[in-house]
Amino acid sequence: MKHLLLGFIFGISISLISWIVGMVLNGILVKTEYYKKLSNLNFIESKALNKNIGIGYFKWIVKNTFFKFFNQKIKLENRKVDLTEIRNEMTLSEISHLIGFIFVTVFAIYKSFTLSLVFGLTMMIPNIYMNLYPSLLQQENKRRINKLMKRNIKTEANPL
């Protein structure tokens, strides 16, 4: 029981730290030629699977709690916004969270072997909600942005 509670608390702590690690490493990674490939990741294409794992609930939490204040650059406030800029910000957020997820996962595996399997597994619970779900949400949002961008290109090509 002790490892369960401590693993969860430690998981929250290291997941918060992983946000900074993700931003720093993403800042370095964005300057490489591989970043273009990373900007088109799509782990879950199925809307049904996203719904089944609770991405819709997670989206509601992000939109209706203090989390909505975290990344103000990812907002569609009016129709005159630059969708490419918003998509780029979503990609930065997505990749940063993925890096954070991997960082905590490696740490959880290490703690599973050195301390306790329960400790390592319970570390992953906050990691999933604080890093994996935000990344999956950004992927879903990017798919929606891509559709809007395609629609805008068609409208510009055929204004009538």
Side-chain angles (χ1 to χ4, degrees):
M1 190 65 171
K2 178 178 116 179
H3 287 258
L4 190 70
L5 182 61
L6 289 176
F8 188 77
I9 292 169
F10 189 72
I12 291 172
S13 301
I14 196 164
S15 292
L16 288 170
I17 292 167
S18 75
W19 291 352
I20 297 167
V21 171
M23 285 187 279
V24 169
L25 292 179
N26 194 26
I28 295 167
L29 192 60
V30 79
K31 297 173 183 161
T32 67
E33 61 188 59
Y34 304 107
Y35 200 76
K36 177 79 170 148
K37 294 176 186 175
L38 290 175
S39 69
N40 294 310
L41 291 175
N42 204 0
F43 295 133
I44 301 176
E45 293 183 26
S46 166
K47 287 182 181 182
L49 184 55
N50 269 339
K51 183 179 180 181
N52 289 338
I53 64 171
I55 294 294
Y57 296 116
F58 185 77
K59 183 178 184 178
W60 184 91
I61 290 168
V62 170
K63 285 175 63 174
N64 295 298
T65 64
F66 65 92
F67 290 110
K68 68 183 170 188
F69 300 112
F70 276 17
N71 196 343
Q72 293 292 306
K73 293 179 182 177
I74 303 176
K75 268 191 172 178
L76 288 173
E77 293 182 352
N78 57 44
R79 295 187 176 267
K80 295 181 183 182
V81 296
D82 183 7
L83 294 177
T84 305
E85 180 69 28
I86 289 176
R87 188 184 188 288
N88 288 339
E89 289 297 327
M90 287 179 176
T91 301
L92 285 170
S93 176
E94 171 196 2
I95 303 297
S96 293
H97 280 291
L98 280 176
I99 292 168
F101 180 75
I102 292 167
F103 173 78
V104 176
T105 300
V106 168
F107 213 92
I109 291 169
Y110 173 75
K111 286 296 188 183
S112 293
F113 286 112
T114 60
L115 190 60
S116 152
L117 181 61
V118 171
F119 188 91
L121 289 176
T122 55
M123 278 179 63
M124 289 302 293
I125 295 168
N127 188 29
I128 288 168
Y129 288 110
M130 295 173 75
N131 282 316
L132 183 60
Y133 269 45
S135 186
L136 293 175
L137 179 60
Q138 293 305 342
Q139 287 180 8
E140 181 180 286
N141 289 338
K142 283 189 341 185
R143 287 192 294 272
R144 292 175 38 222
I145 291 287
N146 289 342
K147 286 180 186 176
L148 284 173
M149 289 170 71
K150 284 180 184 176
R151 192 178 309 148
N152 285 348
I153 289 171
K154 287 179 184 178
T155 304
E156 290 171 3
N158 299 318
L160 299 176

